[in-house]
């Protein structure tokens, strides 16, 4: 199985050369070859651990991608989300009982410390692991720019206020992306990461009953899917999970956007890109474009991931942690 998965993923490699060239020309110290001489084992080590983790649980690719996203939106891509402590970001409301993959990062870091100690930052490990989570799910390859440093403190309040919520209107989500220099196209493209992964009933059950004064169920949710989700979530504690992409849950493809056209987006913030008034005005056309052209989506996704990853600590800021869970 492992060989078939590996070669399946390699067959989907897509390098957007012109986009990467543009990004590489403006990224300062960040470069794909940052560790070429100081830790040549980096890529193999991260690949191996991510591949093994996904072989055990395919969902882990999505979890590592989400870990990178939630890290970058708070204090930049500085691995502050990995820091332990009651005031840590991992215990912020958007992350509690939700963000996963810490053990995979720990295992990668431990192996790297044994061969190139105090060289590779935890922030770069998270970024690289996310890229392999995408690739091994069938998504695009992109060169991860490296050279980040690790933050010294977590920012739980920043995570609570700065991370986009599935309950927010599209305009509010666009505003939060803009706060970290990401635009409306990035909102739609990076939302496409929901082509893999799962979400808890607590994040979408508001759409299933008592939706409004006039509607029991969200009218922008397909009736058949609503019925299935009601059965899943009934009587539970909110921690039951459903695939974010009900069509191809483990494949990184453009089915997420096709689902939105059929009112089969799981989260309100997903379906809102196509169906809400602000979505119709600002994001619907992009959803339609990506639903029709997977390579266009892949190329833009690679570009947006590089762009998001360029919110780092570099130069004299931060440190290279020995243990990703604690500052040195």
């Amino acid at each position: 199985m492992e060989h078939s998965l590996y070669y399946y993923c390699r067959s989907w490699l897509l390098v957007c050369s012109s986009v990467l060239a543009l990004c590489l020309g403006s990224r300062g110290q960040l470069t794909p070859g940052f560790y070429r001489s100081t830790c040549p084992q980096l890529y193999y080590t991260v690949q191996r651990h991510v591949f093994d983790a996904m072989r055990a649980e395919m969902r882990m690719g999505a979890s590592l991608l989400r870990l990178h996203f939630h890290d970058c939106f708070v204090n930049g891509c500085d691995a502050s989300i990995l820091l332990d402590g009651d005031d840590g970001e991992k215990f912020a409301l958007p992350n509690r009982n939700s963000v996963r993959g810490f053990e995979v990062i720990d295992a990668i870091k431990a192996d790297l410390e044994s061969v190139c100690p105090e060289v590779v930052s935890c922030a770069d490990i998270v970024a690289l692991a996310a890229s392999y989570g995408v690739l091994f799910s069938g998504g695009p390859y992109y060169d991860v720019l490296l050279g980040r440093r690790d933050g010294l403190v977590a920012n739980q309040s920043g995570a609570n206020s700065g991370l986009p919520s599935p309950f927010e209107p599209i305009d509010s989500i666009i505003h939060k992306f803009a706060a970290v220099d990401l635009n409306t196209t990035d909102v739609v493209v990076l939302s496409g990461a929901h082509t893999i992964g799962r979400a808890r009933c607590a994040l979408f059950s508001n759409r299933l009953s008592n939706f409004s004064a006039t509607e029991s169920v969200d009218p922008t949710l397909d009736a058949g899917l609503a019925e299935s989700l009601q059965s899943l979530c009934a009587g539970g504690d909110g921690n039951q999970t459903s695939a974010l992409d009900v069509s191809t849950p483990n494949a990184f493809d453009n089915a997420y956007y096709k689902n939105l056209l059929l009112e089969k987006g799981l989260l309100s913030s997903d379906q809102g890109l196509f169906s809400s008034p602000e979505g119709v005005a600002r994001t619907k056309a992009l959803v339609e474009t990506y639903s029709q052209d997977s390579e266009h989506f892949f190329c833009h996704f690679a570009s947006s991931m590089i762009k998001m990853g360029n919110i780092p600590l570099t130069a004299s800021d931060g440190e290279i942690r020995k243990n990703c869970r604690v500052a040195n």
Side-chain angles (χ1 to χ4, degrees):
M1 174 183 175
E2 57 193 85
H3 293 296
S4 62
L5 174 61
Y6 179 73
Y7 287 111
Y8 169 76
C9 294
R10 284 184 61 86
S11 71
W12 278 100
L13 290 181
L14 176 67
V15 180
C16 307
S17 301
S18 60
V19 173
L20 291 176
L22 176 64
C23 293
L24 287 170
S26 61
R27 286 324 195 227
Q29 294 186 45
L30 299 186
T31 169
F34 190 85
Y35 299 106
R36 185 172 291 120
S37 61
T38 56
C39 193
Q41 303 93 333
L42 170 63
Y43 289 96
Y44 172 74
T45 302
V46 177
Q47 281 180 14
R48 177 170 55 83
H49 278 283
V50 173
F51 188 87
D52 288 347
M54 292 179 65
R55 182 174 53 181
E57 182 191 16
M58 194 67 184
R59 177 189 177 191
M60 187 54 67
S63 297
L64 293 169
L65 175 57
R66 189 163 183 262
L67 187 65
H68 182 40
F69 182 96
H70 281 224
D71 181 38
C72 290
F73 263 69
V74 184
N75 291 357
C77 309
D78 67 345
S80 55
I81 196 170
L82 305 179
L83 291 170
D84 282 340
D86 292 342
D87 59 347
E89 292 167 29
K90 62 177 66 175
F91 299 111
L93 187 60
N95 295 330
R96 194 183 308 146
N97 299 323
S98 177
V99 172
R100 313 165 67 244
F102 299 108
E103 294 79 8
V104 178
I105 303 301
D106 289 341
I108 295 170
K109 181 63 171 175
D111 274 5
L112 290 175
E113 285 298 299
S114 70
V115 294
C116 38
E118 299 179 55
V119 171
V120 181
S121 69
C122 300
D124 279 342
I125 293 172
V126 172
L128 200 54
S131 75
Y132 287 125
V134 171
L135 178 61
F136 294 154
S137 299
Y141 169 84
Y142 56 94
D143 282 328
V144 177
L145 307 183
L146 302 169
R148 299 168 186 82
R149 295 175 70 82
D150 298 323
L152 304 178
V153 295
N155 184 358
Q156 187 175 111
S157 63
N160 280 324
S161 62
L163 285 169
S165 162
F167 307 111
E168 289 183 293
I170 299 303
D171 284 347
S172 176
I173 292 173
I174 290 173
H175 178 75
K176 287 187 174 181
F177 270 66
V180 291
D181 294 325
L182 298 174
N183 60 31
T184 301
T185 297
D186 297 316
V187 172
V188 181
V189 171
L190 294 175
S191 294
H194 286 174
T195 185
I196 53 176
R198 303 183 69 83
R200 294 177 298 132
C201 286
L203 299 180
F204 57 83
S205 59
N206 63 305
R207 306 182 69 197
L208 304 180
S209 63
N210 300 316
F211 179 72
S212 70
T214 58
E215 301 282 355
S216 175
V217 176
D218 185 343
T220 67
L221 179 61
D222 173 79
L225 178 57
E227 184 177 350
S228 173
L229 295 174
Q230 287 168 338
S231 297
L232 170 70
C233 300
D237 60 0
N239 287 316
Q240 307 94 314
T241 64
S242 169
L244 285 159
D245 175 350
V246 297
S247 300
T248 55
N250 292 320
F252 196 103
D253 54 24
N254 67 335
Y256 164 83
Y257 299 105
K258 295 178 181 179
N259 290 339
L260 299 187
L261 271 60
L262 300 173
E263 297 188 334
K264 292 185 177 182
L266 184 67
L267 304 179
S268 177
S269 56
D270 289 331
Q271 192 59 50
L273 293 171
F274 183 78
S275 301
S276 70
E278 59 269 32
V280 169
R282 306 183 68 176
T283 56
K284 179 179 179 179
L286 283 169
V287 170
E288 292 174 329
T289 296
Y290 297 136
S291 73
Q292 297 163 7
D293 189 340
S294 61
E295 289 194 358
H296 197 59
F297 164 50
F298 276 21
C299 188
H300 283 197
F301 185 83
S303 176
S304 290
M305 286 297 293
I306 293 170
K307 187 177 176 183
M308 184 186 75
N310 189 45
I311 318 172
L313 281 175
T314 55
S316 59
D317 298 325
E319 63 183 8
I320 306 299
R321 285 184 216 144
K322 301 174 186 178
N323 177 343
C324 290
R325 292 177 179 263
V326 295
N328 293 341

